[in-house]
Amino acid sequence: MENFTFYSPTFFAFGKDAEKDTGKLVRRFGGTKVLIHYGGGSVVRSGLLDRVKASLEQEEIPYIELGGVKPNPRSGLVYEGIDLCRANGVDFVLAVGGGSTIDSAKAIAAGVVYDGDFWDFYSGKYIEEALPVGTILTIAAAGSEGSPDSVITNENGMFKRGATGDAIRPKFSILNPALTQTLPPYQTACGITDIMAHLYERYLTNTPEVEVTDRLIEALLLTMVHEGPRVIEDPNNYEARANIMWAGMMAHNNSCGVGRSQDWNSHNIEHELSALYDCAHGAGLAVTMPAVFTYVMQHDVMRFAQIAVRLWGCQMDFAHPEVTAKAGIEAFRRFLISIGMPKNFEELGAKEEDIPKLVKTLCYGDGRTGSISGFVTLNEEDCANIYKMMV
Ligand code: NZQ
Ligand code: ZN
């Protein structure tokens, strides 16, 4: 295991009606003037926004609002949010929604207290300081409710980049599984896929002897394989929603990723797709992961064979471990299709003729110099081959 530090001070309030304590939590974490940030309207339609406002009013905490966050959140609204916060003396940013809303809120929170362009953080600058952020999560997926990360799409070129810093870890996150019951099945499945991607991308490590985190990841993946189909079958299954919601947080606050190298090539390859085609991140990952895994499998075939046996119940073929490894990847592919995820470029809305463009932004954006690195280093040709496998 490698040396590590781990700092994850988010306060979690989990369970039915947990959002009724929003006002108290904002006060506890120092907020006196709040920006409520939300998405395209699901929280208005569900009545959640009204309940959140009522809770703030009960604590006599003034607030302003900024809705309109789109999935794959855009830089333009972040600039607007920063100006709004400064003009109104906001000292706390409250995200009500999914990963996109939370990430936009984090970007605003970092930008308000920064003299330069907030995009500097999405070009590699570490976030040292930010307004406090609180979240009320409405979809189990991105894990942003417990992560130090934010992903924003730059409208000037439509490319997606991440920023990081413990300062943007939420001060509190309210996780009420019942709030996710209004999700359309497709979005639920996208969330399940993203959570599993966060686990797989940590599982693909070059660090030896990481039994504790291997086993934690396997437990969370097994939970997703058990609960995923149950919630697709019955969207009102509160217990399944609850297990998925907490798994989604644990998958990405890095408690199961410490002390080990991680992959993230699938995420990087996918981010180009959701930036260019505006597809859901989870759907992009469903098409990306089987292709990447198949392409890199030989790098450590025993690792893929191990997960095939432990997660998918495949029979270990000691003479031909690549057979076991491949069977595990195919079982994962079938699982993703079974919950309603797309399987190729066409179903995702991506175009084969765009591959050179995708490869260029992937391999040369974000300060890269012709390759991406993770579990293995992939050059331009590798990336092009992987995109072609998804067609
Ligand atoms: O905008 P509204 O109207 O709220 O609708 C949303 C949106 O259309 C809808 N939705 C959310 N909760 C709902 C609901 N509809 C009905 N009932 C509910 N309870 O679902 C749609 C998707 O929402 P979004 O916030 O985009 O989903 P998600 O949480 O999957 O976030 C995706 C974003 O997170 C980024 C992705 O790249 C993507 O931009 N990621 C962020 C990470 C992080 N910060 O740590 C890590 C991830 O790997 C990921 O990259
Ligand atoms: Zn993700």
Side-chain angles (χ1 to χ4, degrees):
M1 202 189 297
E2 295 169 9
N3 292 356
F4 66 87
T5 61
F6 183 59
Y7 178 72
S8 178
T10 305
F11 179 95
F12 291 99
F14 190 99
K16 287 176 184 157
D17 301 325
E19 66 274 13
K20 71 179 182 339
D21 289 334
T22 305
K24 286 194 180 81
L25 286 169
V26 168
R27 186 168 294 295
R28 173 172 167 178
F29 290 99
T32 63
K33 180 80 187 271
V34 174
L35 173 73
I36 305 178
H37 200 34
Y38 59 94
S42 72
V43 301
V44 178
R45 289 190 295 279
S46 68
L48 174 62
L49 190 64
D50 283 342
R51 296 204 296 283
V52 167
K53 287 190 212 170
S55 178
L56 290 172
E57 283 157 18
Q58 212 171 8
E59 292 295 313
E60 297 178 356
I61 299 171
Y63 58 82
I64 56 170
E65 293 173 49
L66 179 63
V69 181
K70 293 191 175 129
N72 307 313
R74 312 297 151 91
S75 49
L77 196 68
V78 174
Y79 288 112
E80 205 181 308
I82 292 169
D83 290 345
L84 199 62
C85 286
R86 286 180 181 157
N88 289 277
V90 164
D91 60 12
F92 196 99
V93 185
L94 181 62
V96 188
S100 295
T101 296
I102 298 173
D103 285 2
S104 184
K106 287 173 168 179
I108 292 169
V112 170
V113 297
Y114 179 60
D115 278 344
D117 184 343
F118 93 91
W119 194 256
D120 292 349
F121 300 122
Y122 294 78
S123 312
K125 189 177 169 68
Y126 187 80
I127 301 174
E128 299 281 1
E129 209 189 335
L131 290 184
V133 174
T135 87
I136 301 166
L137 186 65
T138 61
I139 171 172
S144 192
E145 67 276 13
S147 84
D149 308 315
S150 160
V151 183
I152 301 289
T153 299
N154 193 323
E155 280 155 304
N156 190 10
M158 292 311 277
F159 56 94
K160 220 176 182 186
R161 295 290 175 260
T164 193
D166 282 326
I168 57 168
R169 278 189 193 265
K171 294 289 174 261
F172 70 80
S173 282
I174 292 174
L175 272 54
N176 174 357
L179 296 178
T180 67
Q181 286 173 359
T182 53
L183 277 166
Y186 184 76
Q187 285 297 341
T188 298
C190 287
I192 290 167
T193 307
D194 193 18
I195 293 167
M196 293 180 80
H198 297 158
L199 295 162
Y200 258 102
E201 298 245 41
R202 288 182 165 89
Y203 203 79
L204 297 184
T205 186
N206 292 310
T207 312
E209 306 276 358
V210 283
E211 185 72 1
V212 64
T213 41
D214 266 5
R215 293 295 187 178
L216 284 170
I217 294 169
E218 288 161 12
L220 292 166
L221 279 169
L222 282 163
T223 302
M224 299 309 294
V225 171
H226 177 70
E227 299 291 26
R230 292 209 315 151
V231 87
I232 296 295
E233 165 108 16
D234 175 12
N236 292 319
N237 186 330
Y238 177 87
E239 297 303 337
R241 293 262 184 211
N243 281 300
I244 290 172
M245 200 168 208
W246 193 240
M249 198 296 295
M250 286 197 288
H252 204 47
N253 84 333
N254 211 30
S255 46
C256 58
V258 292
R260 55 195 289 146
S261 72
Q262 302 178 10
D263 187 4
W264 303 106
N265 279 339
S266 291
H267 264 69
N268 286 323
I269 290 170
E270 190 295 313
H271 278 164
E272 302 305 329
L273 299 173
S274 48
L276 190 61
Y277 305 110
D278 210 11
C279 57
H281 170 61
L285 285 167
V287 178
T288 304
M289 282 187 288
V292 173
F293 297 172
T294 305
Y295 197 80
V296 304
M297 193 184 84
Q298 289 301 341
H299 173 68
D300 185 351
V301 81
M302 286 312 289
R303 183 138 281 273
F304 281 99
Q306 178 175 293
I307 194 77
V309 172
R310 293 183 184 177
L311 178 61
W312 300 109
C314 299
Q315 189 70 33
M316 184 66 202
D317 184 340
F318 286 101
H320 307 286
E322 69 281 0
V323 173
T324 310
K326 189 84 179 65
I329 297 168
E330 289 311 314
F332 187 28
R333 193 200 300 271
R334 282 196 301 279
F335 175 84
L336 295 170
I337 293 169
S338 78
I339 60 169
M341 286 289 91
K343 62 175 177 303
N344 54 28
F345 256 36
E346 193 187 348
E347 290 183 13
L348 195 62
K351 297 194 187 75
E352 187 174 3
E353 59 265 32
D354 290 336
I355 289 177
K357 183 181 171 176
L358 290 164
V359 170
K360 193 151 193 284
T361 32
L362 174 65
C363 293
Y364 290 94
D366 210 10
R368 298 186 191 120
T369 53
S371 63
I372 56 171
S373 53
F375 185 55
V376 295
T377 297
L378 299 170
N379 64 22
E380 285 176 78
E381 192 189 343
D382 296 322
C383 294
N385 288 339
I386 288 168
Y387 281 127
K388 281 181 202 149
M389 287 166 72
M390 300 184 214
V391 175

